[in-house]
Amino acid sequence: MEAIMGVWLRPSLWVAVRLKLPDLLAGGRRTLDQLAAETSTDRAALFRLLNALSSVGVFKRVDDRAYESTAISELLRSDNPSGLANLVDISLGGENYLAWSSLIDAIRAGGCAFDIHHGVNWVDYLRDHADRHATFAAAMTATTRASEQAVLDAHDFGQFELAVDIGGSHASLIGRLLDRHPSARGVVFDLPETVATSRVAWAGEPFAPRLQAVGGDFFNAVPEGDLYLLKMILHDWQDAEAAAILKTIRSSIRPDGRIAIIETILPNDGSPHTGWGLDMAMMATTGGRERTRAEHERLFAEAGFEAIGCTPTPSMYSVLEARPV
Ligand SMILES: C[S@@+](CC[C@H](N)C(=O)[O-])C[C@H]1O[C@@H](n2cnc3c(N)ncnc32)[C@H](O)[C@@H]1O
């Protein structure tokens, strides 16, 4: 019943974030009339939205017609360093949410619900929608930020001179890695349009003088390095494309180099794991998939790598390392 009745929560949360209600309430108590005026919304409809979200702790209803922020709404402010507002914005409404309505077609025929629903794949869609592209990049930073400490604490990336973060978006992970390796240099590699916004995101950070941003296509060529990070990259793609990305890296990696795949690793049996839900999200949006450790290792072998090891972390990610053979 919770799964069925909870259907209202996600789009309602999305609307609250889109209307920037968490930002408005950050300044202190606000009346319904003030909020309706500030968001240009229907007063009676907004009243119902605020009450529903207050009932699950997103906001706090303080008297008959006034509201205050809560710890949850603070997290959803557009300026909160967690970046979670962007994750809500990109995941719980709009084009991605619509794509789920074609999930049954993807299950019946195979393929990706987003492509079936919108007639265009996710990467091309973002290329044509600069504002959504910016929100997506910020949402990715939010997911990385929530886990990078755990990943970097749990896994020793060893010695390296030049790390390349493939599909590194706004460089959150490689930035933190460079912080811990003060003599190493790095490259954040991503699509040219992402790289343009990436440079702005980390300008002025202590690691910035040691980080270069390079735009390109990981199906064609990637920069040379001795440590390659791929966080949530392979899971965006089917096996043929995932192997093709690894082969591009294989042709640029230094002989003594390593790749580190940071992904959710599916269990071999059906035991409960965050990866199962993420796997459905990949079917709905990017057309990719989550994989077991053995499935990753098959991709390594196909692209000319051999697995070195796998480090679980307290986050939902594990770090799978491989070297060229
Ligand atoms: C799921 S995001 C992961 C971002 C980041 N690694 C993280 O974990 O936060 C996938 C990234 O791959 C990038 N990307 C997609 N296609 C690409 C391509 N053909 N060449 C280079 N980067 C690409 C996207 O722009 C995006 O930043």
Side-chain angles (χ1 to χ4, degrees), residues 10 15 33 55 77 80-81 84 94 145-146 161 165 183-184 216-217 248 270 307 309 317-318 321-322:
R10 287 158 199 212
V15 171
D33 287 335
S55 76
R77 282 167 56 172
N80 187 279
L84 284 178
R145 227 164 245 166
E161 273 179 19
D165 194 349
S183 60
D217 178 354
T248 317
Y317 303 110
S318 295
E321 277 201 326

Side-chain angles (χ1 to χ4, degrees), residues 123 127 133 136 140-141 143-144 165-169 189-191 194 216-219 230-233 235-237:
V123 173
R127 210 170 261 146
H133 184 268
F136 173 66
M140 287 302 95
T141 302
T143 63
T144 300
D165 194 349
I166 299 291
S169 192
F189 178 83
D190 209 299
L191 293 169
T194 308
D217 178 354
F218 50 44
F219 292 109
L230 289 88
K231 178 169 167 291
M232 294 181 96
I233 299 302
H235 85 155
D236 282 346
W237 305 93

Side-chain angles (χ1 to χ4, degrees), residues 75-183:
L75 273 175
L76 295 176
R77 282 167 56 172
S78 59
D79 60 354
N80 187 279
S82 71
L84 284 178
N86 296 295
L87 197 55
V88 168
D89 189 356
I90 209 72
S91 317
L92 303 188
E95 61 289 269
N96 268 324
Y97 200 70
L98 291 174
W100 285 95
S101 66
S102 293
L103 184 64
I104 192 162
D105 303 307
I107 298 280
R108 284 201 172 112
C112 171
F114 190 96
D115 301 11
I116 295 168
H117 191 91
H118 294 290
V120 58
N121 74 41
W122 174 232
V123 173
D124 290 339
Y125 176 89
L126 287 183
R127 210 170 261 146
D128 293 339
H129 295 80
D131 59 327
R132 300 303 279 161
H133 184 268
T135 304
F136 173 66
M140 287 302 95
T141 302
T143 63
T144 300
R145 227 164 245 166
S147 56
E148 63 199 7
Q149 208 65 31
V151 168
L152 293 171
D153 284 348
H155 183 75
D156 179 3
F157 285 86
Q159 290 306 307
F160 61 91
E161 273 179 19
L162 182 57
V164 187
D165 194 349
I166 299 291
S169 192
H170 284 182
S172 193
L173 179 65
I174 194 163
R176 298 289 87 75
L177 182 67
L178 290 180
D179 281 343
R180 292 176 181 227
H181 292 260
S183 60

Side-chain angles (χ1 to χ4, degrees), residues 242-293:
I245 296 167
L246 292 176
K247 284 178 190 166
T248 317
I249 296 170
R250 180 68 183 81
S251 60
S252 293
I253 192 169
R254 293 179 184 168
D256 59 347
R258 283 163 293 136
I259 54 174
I261 309 295
I262 301 150
E263 294 275 6
T264 296
I265 307 295
L266 289 177
N268 289 324
D269 58 16
S271 48
H273 195 274
T274 323
W276 297 115
L278 204 52
D279 191 43
M280 294 308 297
M282 292 305 107
M283 192 193 293
T285 56
T286 65
R289 53 174 309 152
E290 302 305 316
R291 296 179 173 86
T292 62
R293 182 174 174 177

